[in-house]
């Protein structure tokens, strides 16, 4: 290629470059006087799409189309009590009652007119049956006592449903020490205008000779049907009857065995949290600690030993 040709190409290239530069510069708007030109901002990073959540290949809740496994709690609301029944043990989880000076003063019922009954509101498969107690060696132990419901015959009859019963040791407990504890609760109405009591069974572990803790209890019935609790609890709420007043709170756990009548009730006093942990229930979620008093700081937690045993033996033998 001749020098003349190279010179022509170079001149054309220079002319083209000048034209492009002029075009670029001409497209920019002139900056007004006094305006500061800011440096270009950081470049935006490309958005990363969220990871895809895989659709589960299974549907565990699909089993509910055939039935909900539970646990199912049978709650009964009756004039003299409210109860929650445990289908596994055939005993109540808890039974709640309310007594007042006025309710205890009424004498409109007679225990001899009441009869133990199976609770037909509970499916037969899970129901405690009268035959289960036959020759079991245990009393049908009231959780809400009949003596707390004398204000009407219907109210007393409600306490004789087996859903208000647990197998209890008779002599030395149900007919003796336990009956004195029930009497103690009634006597609280001499100090408080309103007393609420929640009672129920416990199945507590004990330490065996090998140093290990185990839960062991008898089951009565043929075939075996009703669990025999190792212990019973009472949680007692004593109300002053005035809004905003603290509640005197007591909790007691007693073994289901013969207890000498001279044993102080204070031996069985526990914090309510102990009962909650052992039972899996909650009693005072809505009662602030600042609104609680220890019951045994307010009243003397002593028993008055009365002769309930002979009378209860006669009653127990007369009814089926």
């Amino acid at each position: 290629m001749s020098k003349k040709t190279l010179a022509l190409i170079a001149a054309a290239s220079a002319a083209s470059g000048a034209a492009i530069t002029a075009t670029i510069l001409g497209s920019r708007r002139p900056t007004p006087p006094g305006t500061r030109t800011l440096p270009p901002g950081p470049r935006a990073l490309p958005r990363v799409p969220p990871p895809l959540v895989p659709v589960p290949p299974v549907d565990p809740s699909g089993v509910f189309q055939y039935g909900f496994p539970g646990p199912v709690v049978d709650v009964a609301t009756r004039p003299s009590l409210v109860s929650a029944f445990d289908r596994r043990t055939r005993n109540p989880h808890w039974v709640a009652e309310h007594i007042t000076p006025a309710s205890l003063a009424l004498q409109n019922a007679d225990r001899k007119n009441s009869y133990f009954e199976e609770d037909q509101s509970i499916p037969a498969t899970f129901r405690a049956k009268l035959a289960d107690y036959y020759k079991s060696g245990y009393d049908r132990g009231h959780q809400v006592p009949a003596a707390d419901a004398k204000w009407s015959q219907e109210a007393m009859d409600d306490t004789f449903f087996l859903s208000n019963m647990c197998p209890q040791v008779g002599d030395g407990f149900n007919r003796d020490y336990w009956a004195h504890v029930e009497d103690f609760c009634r006597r609280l109405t001499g100090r408080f205008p309103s007393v609420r009591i929640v009672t129920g069974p416990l199945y507590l572990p004990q330490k065996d000779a090998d140093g290990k803790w185990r839960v062991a209890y008898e089951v009565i019935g043929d075939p075996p049907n009703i669990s025999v609790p190792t212990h019973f609890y009472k949680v007692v709420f004593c109300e002053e009857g005035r809004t905003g007043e603290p509640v005197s709170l007591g909790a007691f756990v007693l073994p289901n065995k013969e207890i000498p009548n001279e044993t102080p009730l204070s031996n069985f006093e526990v914090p309510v949290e102990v009962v909650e942990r052992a039972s899996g229930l909650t009693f005072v979620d809505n009662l602030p600690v600042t609104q609680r008093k220890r019951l045994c700081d307010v009243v003397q937690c002593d028993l008055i030993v009365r002769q309930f045993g002979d009378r209860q033996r006669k009653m127990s033998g007369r009814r089926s």
Side-chain angles (χ1 to χ4, degrees), residues 209-275:
D210 61 2
K212 296 182 179 180
W213 293 85
R214 294 181 175 89
V215 177
Y217 51 83
E218 188 178 347
V219 182
I220 62 172
D222 187 14
N225 194 43
I226 305 176
S227 302
V228 179
T230 64
H231 294 73
F232 290 92
Y233 69 83
K234 280 189 180 289
V235 178
V236 185
F237 304 80
C238 295
E239 301 168 340
E240 296 286 358
R242 295 183 296 273
T243 304
E245 286 286 328
V247 174
S248 296
L249 181 66
F252 306 90
V253 172
L254 291 78
N256 187 14
K257 66 181 184 180
E258 182 178 349
I259 301 174
N261 282 333
E262 61 271 17
T263 307
L265 180 59
S266 57
N267 285 16
F268 306 111
E269 183 191 11
V270 297
V272 69
E273 291 81 8
V274 169
V275 181

Side-chain angles (χ1 to χ4, degrees), residues 98-101 188-196 236-249 287 291-299:
H98 181 212
I99 55 177
T100 67
L188 290 171
T189 60
R191 164 63 177 79
F192 301 96
S194 174
V195 177
R196 303 182 188 275
V236 185
F237 304 80
C238 295
E239 301 168 340
E240 296 286 358
R242 295 183 296 273
T243 304
E245 286 286 328
V247 174
S248 296
L249 181 66
L287 183 62
Q291 288 296 105
R292 306 177 197 174
K293 287 183 179 179
R294 176 174 169 258
L295 176 62
C296 294
D297 285 339
V298 180
V299 300

